[in-house]
Amino acid sequence: MMEYNHILVRYGELALKGKNRTKFEQTLARNIRFALQGHPRTNVKRTFGRTLIELNGEPLEEVMEPLRHVFGISSFSPAMRASNDIEDIKETALQAFLHHDGDKQTFKVNARRSYKPFPISSQDVNPMIGSHILKNTEETFVDVHHPDVEINVEIREQGTYITCGRMEGAGGLPVGTAGSVMLMLSGGIDSPVAGYLSMKRGAELEAVHFHSPPYTNERARKKVEDLTKVLTTFGGPVTLHVVPFTELQKAIHSSIPSNYSMTIMRRMMLRITEKIASDRGVLALANGESLGQVASQTLESMYTINEVTNMPILRPLVTMDKQEVMDISERIGTYSISIRPYEDCCTIFLPSESVTRPRREKAARFEKGLDFQPYVEEAVANTEVLTFGGEPGETEKDMDSLL
Amino acid sequence: MVYLDNSATTKPWPEVLDAYYRAASDYFGNPSSLHHPGVEAETLLNKGRASVAGILNVNTEEIVFTSGGTESNNTAIKGIAVEHKERGNHLITSSAEHPSVTQAFQELEYFGFDVTYVDVDEEGRVQVEDVLEAVREDTILVSIIHVNNELGTINPVEDTARALKAYPKLFFHTDHVQGAGHVPLDLQDVDLCTISGHKIHGLKGTGALFVRRGTALSPLLHGGSQEQQFRAGTENVPGITALAKALRLSDNERQQQNGRLEDLKQHLIQHLHKLEGAVVNTPKTGSAPHIVNVSFPGMKPEVLVQELTRNNIHVSTKSACASKLQEPSPLLLAAGLGTERASSAVRVSFSHDTEDWEVEEFVRTLHKAVSDMMQVMGEKK
């Protein structure tokens, strides 16, 4: 029996021209291959204006699931392939219709003939396929205005592809087409969502996490590692930089007035992140700040903290409400990890009172009393670099061998 | 040794024991501990959970590890009844279940629940229509065994589960202990499903319960918040690792052997048909590939089992959980096979390791034992 053996992948085409298009298509194909690692028999091919996945026996539903998360895909459809012979096309279209799940009382055929040597015009192909389906099914009707199912028939030189219905893709741009950003990843609900949204616009991700052992424990760190792993599902390997932050935090604690210590701490984090980013050739930073949610995220606070860097800081959540962020977090699978109850370095040294409207002059004056540069350099030098989504590590391989 | 009692328990595979040993020694931490060994043990635990979930094609957090089939069945049945008693008082099961299901329901009857025991046909099979007919406004749970543990009969569990979707107020549980590793089961419409480790070459004391996302369940064991709060107690990480390994290996075996055991079963059934005094109880079609149940009316099956075991061939009379009782098999009685057949049954059960010669050896020895014994205690001609 005939089954859906291909998936046709579509992407937004309007903005793409020339060289950009080739890069876009190559990157998207690479990301699709990464997402389909668990299905080694699939084959990803680029054809003009489309990407085609050959299933080669891999189960359709299981292949479609990871595809939903790949940025740069506007929509995709299970497809059947027919030879460029009208009888074969009619029969394949009927099979595609029969195998389609969901309501299918009414349908419409939409043929496109981009292979002009095919002898029948698309206007003539439509009724031929339509009547074949009507003859071989019961209680089905043609409705060209509001059909339950739209049967798309694309006649190309290599063969004819027939699809029924379409699934929404994740939209956006393929990860890797916009360069890299350095995400400040705390372990809370917001920053993973900020990372996800940066990826949506094509950015490749690196992440920085500030770890203050023994004040923050291994579980808090594991939490960030798990979040990073989730982020790899949206576009490939992610490098995580774990910065040892204890010494600098202790220094801030002992020499900065407590109501300014959070402001200064964030300025230090930004300095360290900028340093790591520029060492890696990364051109922008990203964080999970939203305007005015908490004391550290007032405009005054952003203004004062932002003073220490010239790098662009992307704040994808800046206009979002908490609930909107939580909804995305649930949808992408980071919420249940983010709510694990382990404290990060921001909460553990948090003074009982912080200024909500810090001022640049004051922050700079307080910093004069602390020779912070050696601390910053020390932290950068001792940063641990881990990559997720690539080859598994030794311990992981050992565990996998047990299962 | 010819071991043909794999429905009672299987011999653990060396890879499984090795995984147990390594997990127990290299990852001995308590998964709830904050320190490094704790985090590592938790990581391994969650990998095991993801692996089992992947094979059963369900979500990772839907797998709850338990101490085995009996605990999984009790947790599912009592857990649903207690949690949802305000919603309804009526429960449905079949008259041909494993004792850990039947007796859990009897206990609930004692506490005031109303239980309907749906009859089975002469093959021991539950009919979907009978289950649907038993459903009432106040039904909160239906539990039907997947593969009958004495006869090997496969119940229409997927169809039943699908049909019960029309009653969103009730939950559907299935005991998949005998099916796991032999008869694939689609859990798409199932709410709760029991599997056991030692029936698939894993270890005793290991098992799992699939609990569909969003299903509220009252735990049997209270304490810590392990296992999504469905089952308190420090997780048996090495046992769970061994279970994950056993499930994956047996699933691989099933796919690679591609119907070998089914052929072996048909072969054995043919032999038994030719054997004088033997009546095959297992249905020829619609039964699991690894169980053959046969009666010798007029004979004491215990004597037959003793004679075979003396020849180093090991089979059983009925379910191991009931075989110490000198009573006719309740499952065979429920199928209406009569007291004589129900009290003279022998169960032969294969594993993926069972080889052709073992079955040949069994048939040969059985033949001799039966004809010897016929002279002493067989039916008078």
Side-chain angles (χ1 to χ4, degrees), chain A residues 151-181:
Chain A
I151 303 167
N152 283 295
V153 179
E154 299 197 10
I155 304 165
R156 295 165 174 275
E157 188 173 355
Q158 308 83 348
T160 298
Y161 293 94
I162 295 156
T163 62
C164 289
R166 57 176 66 192
M167 315 285 203
E168 285 291 308
L173 299 169
V175 173
T177 53
S180 303
V181 303

Side-chain angles (χ1 to χ4, degrees), chain A residues 7-266:
Chain A
I7 297 173
L8 199 65
V9 175
R10 303 178 196 86
Y11 31 85
E13 293 166 77
L14 292 174
L16 296 166
K17 286 194 209 98
K19 256 188 180 171
N20 268 344
R21 174 182 207 119
T22 313
K23 169 95 164 77
F24 180 102
E25 288 180 340
Q26 281 170 349
T27 309
L28 181 62
R30 184 198 69 189
N31 294 349
I32 291 174
R33 282 186 199 109
F34 178 82
L36 299 184
Q37 277 177 111
H39 301 283
R41 280 175 291 165
T42 53
N43 190 17
V44 181
K45 280 184 167 169
R46 292 188 294 127
T47 66
F48 192 76
R50 299 270 191 276
T51 293
L52 195 67
I53 302 168
E54 296 173 351
L55 293 177
N56 294 320
E58 296 279 0
L60 176 69
E61 289 295 325
E62 284 174 34
V63 174
M64 290 204 295
E65 183 50 37
L67 222 49
R68 285 174 217 278
H69 305 298
V70 177
F71 290 124
I73 296 179
S74 62
S75 72
F76 57 96
S77 307
M80 286 190 190
R81 185 169 186 268
S83 62
N84 286 346
D85 166 74
I86 187 64
E87 289 309 314
D88 194 26
I89 292 173
K90 276 157 64 180
E91 187 52 30
T92 309
L94 172 65
Q95 292 300 327
F97 179 73
L98 293 174
H99 280 73
H100 178 73
D101 284 334
D103 279 349
K104 45 184 179 188
Q105 278 222 314
T106 58
F107 71 93
K108 167 188 179 181
V109 182
N110 216 340
R112 265 180 55 184
R113 180 182 58 149
S114 51
Y115 178 56
K116 296 303 174 194
F118 186 77
I120 311 165
S121 79
S122 40
Q123 264 85 355
D124 294 337
V125 170
N126 287 339
M128 290 171 87
I129 294 174
S131 63
H132 185 69
I133 292 174
L134 289 172
K135 257 182 258 166
N136 288 285
T137 53
E138 275 162 32
E139 307 261 324
T140 46
F141 306 95
V142 171
D143 179 347
V144 293
H145 301 294
H146 305 286
D148 292 337
V149 186
E150 205 171 319
I151 303 167
N152 283 295
V153 179
E154 299 197 10
I155 304 165
R156 295 165 174 275
E157 188 173 355
Q158 308 83 348
T160 298
Y161 293 94
I162 295 156
T163 62
C164 289
R166 57 176 66 192
M167 315 285 203
E168 285 291 308
L173 299 169
V175 173
T177 53
S180 303
V181 303
M182 188 65 71
L183 170 72
M184 301 174 80
L185 185 61
S186 68
I189 292 168
D190 299 335
S191 51
V193 175
Y196 169 80
L197 293 174
S198 307
M199 292 170 105
K200 181 171 183 206
R201 294 309 298 166
E204 213 156 47
L205 216 58
E206 299 205 14
V208 170
H209 176 69
F210 293 88
H211 188 43
S212 302
Y215 303 100
T216 57
N217 65 37
E218 202 183 335
R219 299 240 154 195
R221 181 183 161 151
K222 178 84 184 355
K223 182 174 161 182
V224 170
E225 294 181 5
D226 288 349
L227 287 169
T228 309
K229 278 185 207 160
V230 173
L231 290 174
T232 64
T233 57
F234 304 107
V238 177
T239 303
L240 174 67
H241 305 264
V242 181
V243 180
F245 202 48
T246 316
E247 293 310 313
L248 189 45
Q249 272 193 302
K250 281 196 210 157
I252 292 169
H253 192 68
S254 62
S255 57
I256 305 288
S258 69
N259 63 343
Y260 259 77
S261 69
M262 190 178 62
T263 307
I264 304 295
M265 183 184 81
R266 293 199 177 247

Side-chain angles (χ1 to χ4, degrees), chain B residues 127-167:
Chain B
Q127 305 299 318
V128 183
E129 310 81 70
D130 294 347
V131 175
L132 294 181
E133 211 158 279
V135 175
R136 308 192 318 214
E137 185 63 22
D138 61 340
T139 308
I140 54 174
L141 172 69
V142 176
S143 177
I144 303 291
I145 193 167
H146 178 219
V147 170
N148 182 296
N149 57 305
E150 287 189 16
L151 289 168
T153 308
I154 302 172
N155 276 316
V157 162
E158 289 163 6
D159 292 345
T160 309
R162 201 173 309 121
L164 288 173
K165 282 285 129 189
Y167 305 93

Side-chain angles (χ1 to χ4, degrees), chain B residues 19-55:
Chain B
Y20 183 93
Y21 179 84
R22 281 168 58 206
S25 46
D26 296 349
Y27 303 100
F28 66 89
N30 184 326
S32 301
S33 297
L34 285 177
H35 47 60
H36 185 70
V39 174
E40 280 205 324
E42 189 198 32
T43 305
L44 178 58
L45 169 68
N46 287 331
K47 278 175 166 287
R49 198 186 306 283
S51 173
V52 169
I55 294 164

